[in-house]
Amino acid sequence: MPPRESVSHTTTDSATDPAAVLSAGPAPGRPVPFFTQAASFEEAWPDIRARVSEVIDDGKYSHGRQVGRLETALAEWTGARHCVAVNSGTDALVLLLRACGLQPGQEVVVPAFSFIATASSVVLAGGRPAFADIDPVTYALDPRSAADAVTERTAMLMPVHLFCQMADMGALAQVARRHGLTLVEDSAEAIGMRWDGVHAGLLGAGGVLSFFPTKTLGAIGDAGAILTDDARIAETAAALRHHGRTGRTLAHFPGISNATELNGVNSKMDDLQAAVLLAKLPRLAHAVRRRAELAAAYTERLRGIPGLLRLPTLVPRDVATDAVFYVYLIEAERRDALVDHLAAHGVGTETYYPVPLHLQPCFSELGHKRGEFPNAEAACERTVALPFHPDLTTADIDTVCDLIRRFYTGRAA
Amino acid sequence: MTGPGTIPFFAPDLFEEDREVLLDLVRRTGTAGEQKFILGERTAAFERALSETLGGAEVVACSSGTSALTLILTAMGVGPGDEVVVPAYGCAPLGNTVANLGATPVFADIDPVTMVVDPAEVEAAITARTKALLPAHMFSVMADMPRMREIARPHGVRLVEDSAVAQGGVLDGRPAGTWGEAGLFSFVQVKTFGTAGEGGAVVTEDAELARIVRALRNHGQEGQRFVHQRVGCNSRFDEVQAAFQLHRLPGFPARLERRARIADYYTERFTPLGERGVVPPPPGRNGRCHYVYSLLADERDALKEHLAAHGVSSHVYYPAPLPHQPAFARFAPPGRQWPHALAASRRQLAIPINPHLTDAQVEHIADTVCAFAAGRG
């Protein structure tokens, strides 16, 4: 690995940084990976094996019977009228935007702080991303900044629900209504999150789910889905994922010769991935509760440590909301030095996200400058995600939190 | 008659022999210490192994053959205002990948017997806006790639080889996929080197093109994670599929040979049927890929029914030329016709050729086709 670029104004010079001295010492606990689900997978293996065996019995390995069952099960779990399984969360975004009718040259307002797919999906669907700043507590699209980003070319508004809670969907729905915009949700991370009882992705025209392996419901490869209550959007997305072919294609080989109605793509989901997801789905509600407990354990141990600028904070809304801890993200002084310190002691972290979308090299043509979206830029300099996964134990959390305390105070708890 | 005795067209028992291997790979992938599921060491090893079968060409594994084609065209800079010459008869991605980049597919008619694109039609379709030629290998016959090279060079246009169906095919000693500036394979299960899911690969001897495709398949990242040099997509390859393909690779030549032998036998039996309205593909092994064995039959639907009545499933691949389908209507100039593509779409019928067929099944299929033709003499 090349050395991490320092984003913040910090130094890791050993003469001035007590952490560098500590890094040289022996690790106080066992290594804690950023992500693993190995033990949980093994625990679920009898169910996974049974499902994968069914795939082999059926003899159709993509877009087959398990994929159809997963669509039904996810629709039931989320309350969506329609679920369309695809190859990835990114593909789900592209096909959702296309199915919602995005036209070439139209703009979609998106937050400047997110995974690249939030903005690249707009480009791949033929549109242009229009960036707006985020709320500094939820890291989600700021309704006022979103309204400021609207022009006469804007067609859609796409908030993102990151880490553990949803964007302010009440205020964003108002912005969409006021400007006549289609509201779509990048809910790739948001399985289990609800706003006033409505699952993420279903507050506007539609949303998506990603089953990237680290997700709350994770496959062992790429997979994703579109959620919508709109039959026409679902039908269009379902055709687009199978080369634009209409008529029956799911679990039906001869459908490969159906007439091509739309300029579609190949974004069929593998049945092996659907089998794994179906086996894990009955455990999801329990996993969500477990994640809340683990997050609380982190917060309890980290509260009050100097140098930590923010711990995850669930914002109360005037309607009931369900939070789901997908990622445990903190803001830290000297973030990159902390990351190095943890890595030196065998603790994995992830920097979500080191560069805001408006400053990504691939969007340089849009002409944005540093300083335009200060909350997004600050988040990129300070945030770090701590180990958080299905196999995590409170002993792991003790290890991580002790290391963080030692980094900032020079002593253990 | 359909039922337990029917010989299926799409074999459902493709990986039955690999059942325990596949289950074990899923378990080992899920529980491995590394917890790396996508574009890991096994994908890299799979790319290297395929490269060795292709004289060292670069191989970039991705999510599907369709996606491979999009990655190639994107890396070549195909976009609005550009034209790409494609066959008028074939699979939807030939038109979709071009259209989805904002470019225009220009449809060229096919050879009436081999059903691959006609080089003269391709050359006639070239204009000042043509950016690339996209011939496709079709069923069991590779396109006339030496001619395509001769046409592309003086016109200064790129040559992309849609070899999605042709993995393992060899023309004049050169493997399918390596005739164009870039080629591709599809690993969807029905293909000659199908896997237990979706997958594909870009093949190219152009290192710079390979570098761009590698970045594009993983969100445009080159080097540092979460820094995106170009707008890419998610078109990655799963480790479990890479491991399965590595397991299946040593058996690939034998499976291909089985397909070729079935094709040889069929062609020997069917060549005399030409005057009775059933035309097989030409005999021979050069430039052939044996993905699908396609007949041309004057009374195609009657032949399909006759086969079904005798327990043989068959399949009509493309019931209409691409420019006749709604998705491509806007690329069909008024009055333009593709008579050979139209004829093929009315006469084409594919019969089973998968390597699991027994000799007895193959003979039964051939007997049934011959009996049909005899009744039409």
Side-chain angles (χ1 to χ4, degrees), chain A residues 37 42 45 57 59 61-62 88 90 98 116 213 222 243 253 257 260 263-264 266 268 270 350 360 362, chain B residues 12 19 23 27 30 35 37 66 96 100 189 196 198 219 225-226 228 234 236 238 315-317 325 327 330:
Chain A
Q37 51 86 68
E42 183 60 22
W45 175 246
D57 293 343
Y61 292 84
S62 65
S88 71
T90 300
R98 287 189 59 186
I116 192 72
D222 275 315
H243 304 284
F253 274 117
S257 297
T260 308
N263 295 128
N266 179 357
K268 305 195 284 283
D270 284 357
E350 192 72 87
Q360 289 285 353
C362 61
Chain B
R19 178 181 288 266
L23 284 164
R27 186 180 196 174
Q35 294 286 289
F37 303 105
T66 301
N96 278 337
N100 282 332
Q189 68 183 87
E198 297 282 332
H219 297 291
R225 192 151 181 238
F226 297 135
H228 306 269
N234 179 349
R236 303 180 292 212
D238 292 341
H315 188 73
V316 175
Y317 267 83
Q325 299 188 34
R330 68 188 192 280

Side-chain angles (χ1 to χ4, degrees), chain A residues 94-103 106 156 182-184 204-207 228 230 232-233 236-237 240:
Chain A
V94 177
L95 298 188
L96 174 65
L97 290 168
R98 287 189 59 186
C100 287
L102 186 67
Q103 297 300 310
Q106 287 185 332
M156 299 185 189
T182 302
L183 180 64
V184 291
T228 182
D230 185 316
R232 195 170 300 176
I233 290 171
T236 304
L240 286 172

Side-chain angles (χ1 to χ4, degrees), chain A residues 4-5 35-39 41-42 45 48-50 52-63 87-91 98 115-117 120-121 123-124 212-213 219-222 243-245 253-266 268-273 276 350-355 357 360-363 391, chain B residues 10-16 18-20 22-35 37-38 63-67 91-93 95-97 99-100 188-190 195-199 219 221 224-241 291 315-319 322 325-328 330-331:
Chain A
R4 207 173 263 273
E5 256 179 72
F35 174 77
T36 178
Q37 51 86 68
F41 190 93
E42 183 60 22
W45 175 246
I48 295 170
R49 185 190 161 93
V52 173
S53 298
E54 283 180 26
V55 175
I56 301 170
D57 293 343
D58 287 349
K60 193 163 190 326
Y61 292 84
S62 65
H63 207 57
N87 179 57
S88 71
T90 300
D91 279 6
R98 287 189 59 186
F115 181 57
I116 192 72
S120 60
S121 62
V123 177
L124 294 172
F212 184 76
I220 56 166
D222 275 315
H243 304 284
R245 291 172 185 142
F253 274 117
I256 62 170
S257 297
N258 292 358
T260 308
E261 300 276 344
L262 302 168
N263 295 128
V265 299
N266 179 357
K268 305 195 284 283
M269 185 191 280
D270 284 357
D271 282 74
L272 290 184
Q273 303 303 341
V276 170
E350 192 72 87
T351 301
Y352 298 126
Y353 297 94
V355 179
L357 295 179
Q360 289 285 353
C362 61
F363 296 124
D391 298 354
Chain B
F10 298 102
D13 61 344
L14 271 182
F15 306 126
E16 191 53 52
D18 305 299
R19 178 181 288 266
E20 290 308 316
L22 183 54
L23 284 164
D24 185 53
L25 286 176
V26 171
R27 186 180 196 174
R28 278 198 284 152
T29 303
T31 57
E34 204 199 359
Q35 294 286 289
F37 303 105
I38 297 162
S63 67
S64 71
T66 301
S67 183
C91 199
N96 278 337
T97 55
N100 282 332
V188 73
Q189 68 183 87
V190 294
T195 189
E198 297 282 332
H219 297 291
Q221 295 168 108
Q224 199 190 341
R225 192 151 181 238
F226 297 135
V227 177
H228 306 269
Q229 306 298 331
R230 49 185 92 227
V231 173
C233 59
N234 179 349
S235 178
R236 303 180 292 212
F237 202 72
D238 292 341
E239 286 289 278
V240 68
Q241 299 294 347
Y291 158 57
H315 188 73
V316 175
Y317 267 83
Y318 310 115
L322 289 171
Q325 299 188 34
F328 308 109
R330 68 188 192 280
F331 303 115

Side-chain angles (χ1 to χ4, degrees), chain A residues 14 30 41 73 97 108 119 156 175 232 247 262 270 299 317 358 360 368-369 404:
Chain A
S14 60
R30 65 189 178 94
F41 190 93
L97 290 168
V108 180
M156 299 185 189
V175 173
R232 195 170 300 176
L262 302 168
D270 284 357
T299 298
R317 306 292 189 185
H358 65 290
Q360 289 285 353
H368 289 289
K369 300 206 164 40
I404 294 173

Side-chain angles (χ1 to χ4, degrees), chain B residues 28-189:
Chain B
R28 278 198 284 152
T29 303
T31 57
E34 204 199 359
Q35 294 286 289
K36 177 83 177 167
F37 303 105
I38 297 162
L39 293 186
E41 281 173 18
R42 281 173 293 183
T43 300
F46 174 53
E47 291 176 343
R48 284 193 302 273
L50 277 191
S51 173
E52 281 169 24
T53 70
L54 298 165
E58 293 228 33
V59 174
V60 185
C62 62
S63 67
S64 71
T66 301
S67 183
L69 191 45
T70 298
L71 291 169
I72 292 167
L73 296 172
T74 305
M76 287 182 171
V78 171
D82 294 331
E83 293 176 353
V84 178
V85 181
V86 307
Y89 180 77
C91 199
L94 288 165
N96 278 337
T97 55
V98 175
N100 282 332
L101 290 171
T104 300
V106 175
F107 296 102
D109 207 359
I110 59 168
D111 180 277
V113 176
T114 61
M115 292 182 271
V116 295
V117 75
D118 179 341
E121 293 282 325
V122 169
E123 185 154 32
I126 294 175
T127 73
R129 289 182 298 281
T130 304
K131 181 95 172 185
L133 310 182
L134 178 51
H137 309 319
M138 188 64 53
F139 302 130
S140 70
V141 180
M142 286 174 65
D144 187 346
M145 295 310 295
R147 279 286 293 133
M148 293 299 160
R149 282 181 163 191
E150 285 169 17
I151 294 167
R153 207 175 298 121
H155 286 97
V157 297
R158 312 297 297 261
L159 180 59
V160 181
E161 178 187 0
D162 183 350
S163 44
V165 305
Q167 191 168 3
V170 177
L171 172 63
D172 298 348
R174 181 175 266 279
T178 64
W179 277 94
E181 292 172 65
L184 58 111
F185 297 132
S186 161
F187 307 130
V188 73
Q189 68 183 87

